[in-house]
Structures are given as C-alpha cells and as structure tokens.
Amino acid sequence: MGNVTVVGAQWGDEGKGKIVDWLSERADMVVRFQGGHNAGHTLVVGTQTYKLSLLPSGVVRRKPSIIGNGVVVDPWALLDEIKRLGEQGVTVTPAILKLADNAALILPLHRRLDQARETAAGSGQIGTTGRGIGPAYEDKVARRALRVCDLSDDATIAYKVERLLAHHNAMWRGLGQAEVDGAELIARIKDVAPMILPYAAPVWEIMSDARRDRLRILFEGAQGAMLDVDHGTYPYVTSSNTVSGQAAAGSGIGPGAIGYVLGITKAYTTRVGAGPFPTELTDAIGQQLGERGHEFGTVTGRKRRCGWFDAVMVRQALRVGGITGIALTKLDVLDTLTEIKVCVGYDLHGARINRFPSAMVEQAAVKPVFETMTGWNSSTRGARSWAQLPAEAIKYIRRIEELIEAPVALLSTSPERDDTILVRDPFAD
C-alpha cells in the first residue's frame, strides 16, 4: 500500500474535504503541507458538520495529523479551531496533532497589512481573505519570519520582532499610519507560546520514521492548482505552491514518497474572488449551479462564481501537478440540465489554443470553445455504483476522461462520505 497526495485541480473549493475524510479512514497519518487558514475543508460525518481551516482532516478520525513546515500558522486561529472542534466533541491533543517546529507564524501585523493592501488596491484587489497569509510568506522568504521553534526563547522572540518591525514600521510610516507597538506584540506572542509549544515537533523526523515503517500517509493539499503562485492565474493566486510537488518540500520528505496524486475536480467549475474565468456563467444557469451546489466559501462565506467544466484548464493542472487520476465531485448538481457544455479549447484573438496562457492580458482575452452534450435529467445523487448512473451521465464522465487525459478514480455523488463510487483505490498503487 502506498501514499496518496490530494490536490485541487481547479481554483479550489472542489470538495477536497469529503474526499480526504473518505481516504483518511484508510490512512495511518494525514499531513497538511501548504497554505494557511485561508482555505477551508468541510467534512460531513453522520449528522455532524466540521469546518476545518488549519487542522488536517485526519483529526476528526483521531488519526495522527501533521501541520507541515510549508504551512504558515496563525497560532491564535489554530487554538480557536482546536477549541471549536472540542465543543463538537473532537479533542485535539499533542498526541494527535504535531506542528512543524520550523513552520513560519502569522502575526497580527500580517493580518493588518493584508487587509490594508486590499483596501488600498480598490478595483485592483486580487481577492485575498485578509488573514495575513501573503505577508507571512513574504517575511518567510525574506528570512525575517518568527517560527514555531522561536517561541521557546524570549531573547529570540525579541530579536525576531525587532527585525520584523524594522521592515514593517517603515512601510506604515510611508503610508502615514500608526506603527506596530513592539512591546505589545511581544507580550501577545509570549502569552500564546505556552499553548502552542506542546504541539511543536521535528516533523521531518516523524515523516522519515513513518516512511521507514511503511505507514500509509495522506498528504492533504489546500486551494487548487490554478491558484498556484507559479502555475496559476497570477497575480490572482494564493501565496504558496499548491501542486503536488509541494507535498514533499512542505512536509520534509523526499518527492518519491508522495505516491498516487489524486486531483479533486468538480463536474463544473467555480472560483472565489477576482481573476480570469473563461467558462463563467453570469446567467440563470450559473445562478442555478450556485444554488444547487451551495457555492459559498467555507472560510469566508463568499459566493462562488460558477461556470461550465473547463477541460483545457484541468488537463493543464494535471500535467503540471503530476496528477495520476481524479476524484470527480458534485455530479448531481448537473442533474436537472437538459444540455451541458464542456470547454475543449480556447480562442485567442482568432487562433485556437489548447493551453491556459501565462500572460495576464492573454488570460483575460481567451474565449472558450464549447462542446455540447445531452443532459440526463434524472438524479445521480447518492449513487454508489455505475449501474445506478444514467447512461448520459456516464457518457459525460467518459468524455471528461478523454479530454483531460486521466481516469476518474473516485466519483462523489453527494456530500455524504459513503455516497462515493470507488473506481480505483489510490492507496493500492
């Protein structure tokens, strides 16, 4: 039995929470490897709904769970999430959760800067969640970040805060706004440190031992491939690499250990926030997809933009991300449509192209080339075998497989974890 890496193959919000929860029952350990509390996974277990942001989905199943070094961690948000889960009957202790001691922290000054930038950008906003993720990654790359391991030493905290404020307060002075109070920030950090440090551990060592012991590791990605800082719709992207290669770098394990890469893909397309969206529907059908799919962000509650399935974009995401097979979700949202369209190419200034371009101006200019398929006008919700699916729905799935050049390994037919058709067990590879 191998390892499995789960990543989004669109713009995030593909339904990774349910799939990760379904797979976590087969896993021995679950690992988050990038992003922060700007991404959310919703898990429905029986009558209980859990909304997770920082915590790996494995905690709900009491599986050993790891927050890797590739994640930027807001310690106050983490503690709030642990408390909220505790109120739902899920106790998260250091025995279950390990936090990489070399993970960078998100501080209040990062949230303030994130929100100030978005406000100042006006119509040029890129749609961040305002939770400080981008500024925290900036400080990490600039080598001035406060890390989890630094919380154990007061002198290091003071030194790191001084370095941070030399940069941040210069920006606030330039903007004519109040500077960050260093003493107050240090006091807040020292106050939270004793509650965070029990979770800290050399995660790379734990991962090495897990691999030696041949444990089944599930790597849990956040957001989606087209929000990758390098390969997505830049600058309308997140601040981290969201493709499968980050699973290795973001957890401290070799790339050969990431195993089967499962790309989560909706049967249509959604996007939250600003940025190009070639197949977007602003008509009644787009509204219907949003209502039937309950398309609101788990973390922000923002309404998602909806559109037809974009096979060009997904095929590109699969190639860039090394995706082995896909989990197709929310097929049932299309149940009432008599006609369904799929984007099979783009028109760019009169020329047909079969890739999503990198240039911002070209991303905004591409027009989708659609192929029209017949809808099935009957329910697929709750189906647990191919025999329960309408013939036209199966044709739609097979056509998607042809266009994206990858097989469907899992098919999800409702938010319920058991309403899943297993075509190929990723852990068996």
Side-chain angles (χ1 to χ4, degrees):
M1 302 292 278
N3 300 331
V4 176
T5 298
V6 174
V7 293
Q10 294 165 307
W11 275 297
D13 306 308
E14 300 97 347
K16 291 185 290 297
K18 171 193 167 172
I19 301 299
V20 169
D21 176 54
W22 192 86
L23 289 169
S24 69
E25 196 167 44
R26 294 162 170 77
D28 299 309
M29 177 181 292
V30 183
V31 183
R32 270 287 308 273
F33 58 85
Q34 51 77 218
H37 63 307
N38 55 338
H41 290 169
T42 300
L43 281 63
V44 180
V45 182
T47 60
Q48 189 73 269
T49 298
Y50 303 97
K51 294 183 181 293
L52 306 179
S53 296
L54 267 173
L55 292 172
S57 299
V59 297
V60 174
R61 299 284 170 189
R62 272 66 170 186
K63 295 295 177 80
S65 300
I66 287 176
I67 298 176
N69 57 276
V71 180
V72 284
V73 179
D74 182 323
W76 296 275
L78 177 58
L79 292 172
D80 284 346
E81 191 169 332
I82 290 172
K83 179 183 177 183
R84 188 173 68 249
L85 273 188
E87 293 169 349
Q88 291 185 276
V90 178
T91 302
V92 180
T93 68
I96 289 290
L97 177 68
K98 301 299 183 186
L99 170 61
D101 58 6
N102 56 340
L105 296 176
I106 300 174
L107 302 175
L109 57 81
H110 294 126
R111 294 195 297 273
R112 179 188 173 195
L113 179 59
D114 201 357
Q115 293 164 10
R117 282 177 175 170
E118 278 290 87
T119 300
S123 61
Q125 292 184 5
I126 61 173
T128 78
T129 60
R131 284 164 166 74
I133 281 79
Y137 273 118
E138 289 175 37
D139 282 338
K140 175 181 176 177
V141 173
R143 294 166 291 184
R144 55 176 171 259
L146 192 74
R147 304 196 300 175
V148 173
C149 54
D150 298 329
L151 296 176
S152 63
D153 183 71
D154 289 352
T156 301
I157 293 173
Y159 168 73
K160 289 288 188 78
V161 168
E162 182 181 3
R163 291 196 69 220
L164 276 172
L165 297 190
H167 172 76
H168 282 265
N169 279 341
M171 287 193 293
W172 291 120
R173 287 194 296 271
L175 293 170
Q177 296 193 37
E179 297 182 19
V180 176
D181 185 319
E184 180 184 341
L185 178 59
I186 289 173
R188 291 195 64 183
I189 293 169
K190 287 182 178 179
D191 181 60
V192 79
M195 294 177 277
I196 292 296
L197 284 171
Y199 297 96
V203 158
W204 66 268
E205 194 170 44
I206 295 171
M207 299 296 296
S208 178
D209 291 345
R211 190 178 187 191
R212 179 200 62 207
D213 295 339
R214 302 182 67 82
L215 298 184
R216 290 177 299 238
I217 305 170
L218 178 61
F219 296 93
E220 177 182 4
Q223 292 118 352
M226 298 311 291
L227 291 176
D228 185 278
V229 69
D230 289 305
H231 301 289
T233 49
Y234 191 92
Y236 301 99
V237 292
T238 193
S239 303
S240 62
N241 288 113
T242 61
V243 294
S244 63
Q246 180 62 20
S251 61
I253 199 167
I258 65 174
Y260 187 104
V261 182
L262 183 69
I264 315 301
T265 309
K266 277 179 184 168
Y268 52 102
T269 309
T270 63
R271 176 166 199 167
V272 171
F277 187 170
T279 65
E280 182 173 12
L281 293 167
T282 57
D283 57 8
I285 295 178
Q287 180 75 16
Q288 180 181 340
L289 292 176
E291 290 173 357
R292 283 184 56 83
H294 305 289
E295 297 297 353
F296 296 92
T298 299
V299 171
T300 64
R302 289 184 295 180
K303 184 178 179 181
R304 296 172 187 145
R305 300 153 65 189
C306 298
W308 295 120
F309 187 85
D310 190 334
V312 180
M313 183 185 75
V314 173
R315 183 173 63 243
Q316 186 163 322
L318 267 58
R319 290 178 177 179
V320 169
I323 293 172
T324 315
I326 68 166
L328 192 66
T329 67
K330 293 198 170 185
L331 182 70
D332 58 298
V333 174
L334 304 179
D335 283 351
T336 61
L337 298 176
T338 57
E339 190 176 86
I340 300 171
K341 294 184 179 182
V342 179
C343 175
V344 297
Y346 297 135
D347 179 281
L348 180 60
H349 307 309
R352 172 75 175 261
I353 63 171
N354 294 307
R355 60 177 175 80
F356 199 83
S358 299
M360 189 175 174
V361 65
E362 292 183 346
Q363 289 179 356
V366 294
K367 304 296 182 186
V369 176
F370 286 119
E371 178 177 297
T372 302
M373 300 187 67
T374 303
W376 42 92
N377 268 318
S378 58
S379 179
T380 62
R381 188 177 179 86
R384 298 183 182 181
S385 71
W386 287 105
Q388 294 176 303
L389 295 176
E392 295 300 332
I394 295 174
K395 287 181 183 178
Y396 181 72
I397 295 165
R398 295 306 185 204
R399 183 57 178 148
I400 284 177
E401 290 180 318
E402 292 174 357
L403 290 168
I404 66 174
E405 300 172 358
V408 170
L410 292 170
L411 181 66
S412 171
T413 57
S414 91
E416 297 295 331
R417 72 188 306 271
D418 291 331
D419 291 341
T420 304
I421 300 174
L422 175 64
V423 182
R424 183 173 185 171
D425 185 353
F427 277 118
D429 278 42

